[in-house]
Amino acid sequence: MKKLIAGAILLGASSVAFAQPGCGVGAMIWEGQSGIAPHVLAATTNGTFGNQTFGMTTGTLGCQTNEAVQSMAMYMNNNIDKVARDMSRGAGENLDTLAVLLGVDQADRDTFRKVLQDNFATIFPSSDTTSGEAVNAIVALMEKNESLSKYVAA
């Protein structure tokens, strides 16, 4: 039983270790530190205080965002389960709503859907992923994509 619990903790910690805490109070407190512990503590602080989504919607707490990303963050906050379902399928009303909120042109919508579906495990690494963490992951993926980066520029 102890080995099972230890394995679960290790698995959970390893998946959190690769996820960047993004912005929020936790990211600000643990800024500049590397390793598993600071990342886990930053993400835990953000999750505990629920400040990351607030920072994204207001552009505070180290969160740099544009109005479209702010709109997406507010939508994700209320519809995260529906968005996750559609994202895993690569299609659906909620995924289309994200594209509209971000101002993604019709010509780039297929790329948008494919990037999000292909990176579903990065955006939602666990069932406890917050809307703020998901939004940060979506923005980071879009920033790396040549045709999608223009929609999330601050």
Side-chain angles (χ1 to χ4, degrees), residues 15-73:
S15 66
V16 172
F18 296 108
Q20 298 298 318
C23 60
V25 172
M28 294 172 77
I29 291 170
W30 302 101
E31 184 177 12
Q33 299 186 30
S34 61
I36 294 173
H39 287 283
V40 171
L41 291 169
T44 302
T45 302
N46 285 343
T48 301
F49 294 106
N51 60 61
Q52 200 168 35
T53 304
F54 172 78
M56 285 186 291
T57 57
T58 61
T60 59
L61 301 175
C63 301
Q64 297 175 343
T65 187
N66 63 27
E67 287 183 30
V69 174
Q70 291 174 9
S71 296
M72 178 182 66

Side-chain angles (χ1 to χ4, degrees), residues 56 63-72 101-104 135-136 138-154:
M56 285 186 291
C63 301
Q64 297 175 343
T65 187
N66 63 27
E67 287 183 30
V69 174
Q70 291 174 9
S71 296
M72 178 182 66
L101 289 171
L102 288 168
V104 177
V135 169
N136 280 343
I138 291 168
V139 170
L141 288 167
M142 291 179 70
E143 285 174 339
K144 293 177 187 174
N145 184 287
E146 188 176 324
S147 60
L148 300 178
S149 61
K150 61 189 170 195
Y151 302 111
V152 293

